[in-house]
């Protein structure tokens, strides 16, 4: 392994540690926010007032910065699959913090993920040298990559406008699909920005090229979309379900986008390419094995005034305690609850 790839590898591992932790911290913040208002899965933004959610956000940002720098030194086909390590970390932390039980077969899945990551690291291609952001721009406007970008935008619009309102809360592939497809464009833009920053620090200023700012705007837009729909996925589904499926789709689309834009596999032997694909399949097997051994979240009751609602139960309980006082004052004890339910069913 070259020194450049080694640096990217170390940064990718650090990134996975922080990102895996952030899943759990943010999930905990979302759970706290759900107690006081509408959940993120139904369009609520109460989690923005939760300090714990922001701690998770900062942790994720640190991890993403490390990931950002990793893409400068190593190709996407090396950095992106190492994101499987974040699944292992989130699964272990979820076991202890969120009480999402990790079975023995789940532990085996973690080991398989590590094995697959090792195979990919050993056969990863070398990072190609680029001397300006204009070179990256030429790669981005290739007909093949333009077709990929157009397809990505079309799929995203279909998922956001048609699928999300109808199936978003029942089909996990909707929210995660949006994050994954858009995420592949995020990685390509972030890699371009990272290379531009590296070249600028080396003395070849890339700030004055308009291409640098186009890549920046694309990256910011894609990141905002990813965060929004990732929050919805985390709030609506079990972390152990979200993490492996998100990893599998995101990695697959990113490898595809990188292969089209940067031609990562150009010049590699057939044996190395097959080994990398086997490593990726091994990681996928581990992540889905890990997912299959975890318990799903209990369904969330979004009906505030249903008989199972904690607020209504509390109100009735309070009226029972004050029954004697209300009886002495000739006041019916359950009038308010009756009015609430009548209004609810109108």
């Amino acid at each position: 392994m070259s020194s450049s790839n080694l640096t990217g590898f170390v940064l990718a591992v650090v990134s996975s540690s922080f990102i895996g932790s952030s899943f759990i911290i943010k999930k905990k913040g979302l759970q706290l926010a759900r107690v006081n208002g509408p959940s993120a899965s139904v369009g609520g933004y109460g989690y923005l007032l939760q300090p714990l959610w922001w701690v998770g956000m900062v942790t994720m940002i640190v991890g993403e910065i490390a990931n950002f720098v990793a893409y400068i030194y190593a190709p996407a086909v090396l950095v992106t699959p190492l994101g499987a390590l974040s699944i292992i970390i989130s699964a272990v932390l979820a076991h202890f913090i969120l009480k999402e039980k990790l079975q023995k077969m789940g532990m085996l899945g973690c080991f398989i993920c590590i094995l697959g990551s090792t195979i990919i690291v050993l056969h990863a291609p070398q990072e190609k040298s680029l001397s300006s952001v204009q070179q990256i721009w030429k790669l981005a406007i290739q007909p093949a990559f333009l077709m990929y970008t157009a397809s990505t935008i079309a799929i995203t619009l279909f998922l956001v406008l048609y699928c999300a309102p109808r199936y978003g809360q029942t089909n996990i592939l909707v929210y995660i699909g949006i994050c994954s497809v858009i995420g592949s464009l995020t990685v390509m833009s972030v890699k371009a920005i990272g290379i531009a920053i590296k070249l600028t620090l080396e003395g070849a200023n890339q700030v004055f090229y308009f291409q640098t700012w186009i890549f920046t705007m694309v990256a910011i837009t894609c990141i905002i979309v990813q965060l929004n729909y990732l929050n919805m996925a985390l709030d609506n589904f079990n972390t152990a379900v979200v993490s492996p499926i998100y990893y599998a789709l995101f990695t697959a689309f990113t490898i595809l986008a990188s292969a089209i834009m940067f031609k990562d596999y150009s010049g590699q032997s057939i044996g190395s390419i097959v080994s990398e694909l086997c490593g990726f399949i091994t990681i996928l097997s581990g992540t889905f094995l890990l997912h299959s051994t975890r318990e799903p979240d209990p369904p969330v009751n979004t009906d505030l005034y249903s008989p199972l609602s904690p607020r209504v139960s509390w109100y009735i309980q309070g009226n029972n305690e004050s029954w004697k006082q209300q009886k002495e004052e000739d006041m019916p004890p359950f009038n308010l609850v009756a009015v609430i339910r009548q209004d609810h069913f109108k």
Side-chain angles (χ1 to χ4, degrees), residues 39 41-42 169 236 299-306 344:
S39 61
S41 61
V42 294
Q169 294 183 47
N236 211 47
V300 178
N301 184 15
T302 58
D303 183 0
L304 182 61
Y305 302 116
S306 68
H344 175 63

Side-chain angles (χ1 to χ4, degrees), residues 213-279:
W213 298 105
I214 291 179
F215 284 127
T216 302
M217 288 186 291
V218 170
I220 292 173
T221 302
C222 292
I223 288 171
I224 291 173
V225 173
Q226 275 185 270
L227 288 177
N228 184 48
Y229 284 97
L230 181 58
N231 281 330
M232 291 184 179
L234 283 171
D235 192 53
N236 211 47
F237 301 97
N238 189 295
T239 307
V241 180
V242 173
S243 296
I245 297 178
Y246 178 45
Y247 165 79
L249 292 179
F250 172 71
T251 303
F253 280 112
T254 299
I255 290 176
L256 176 60
S258 184
I260 294 173
M261 180 173 172
F262 291 101
K263 297 180 172 59
D264 291 323
Y265 295 107
S266 177
Q268 273 200 297
S269 66
I270 298 296
S272 294
I273 295 174
V274 171
S275 296
E276 288 175 50
L277 293 176
C278 289

Side-chain angles (χ1 to χ4, degrees), residues 288-299:
F288 281 100
L289 177 62
L290 177 60
H291 152 60
S292 65
T293 60
R294 302 291 297 280
E295 299 174 356
D297 279 337

Side-chain angles (χ1 to χ4, degrees), residues 323-343:
W323 168 267
K324 291 184 180 179
Q325 179 181 353
Q326 289 179 334
K327 188 174 182 181
E328 291 172 358
E329 297 174 1
D330 294 325
M331 294 175 63
F334 300 107
N335 274 356
L336 181 56
V337 175
V339 171
I340 291 173
R341 291 187 178 177
Q342 286 173 4
D343 290 340

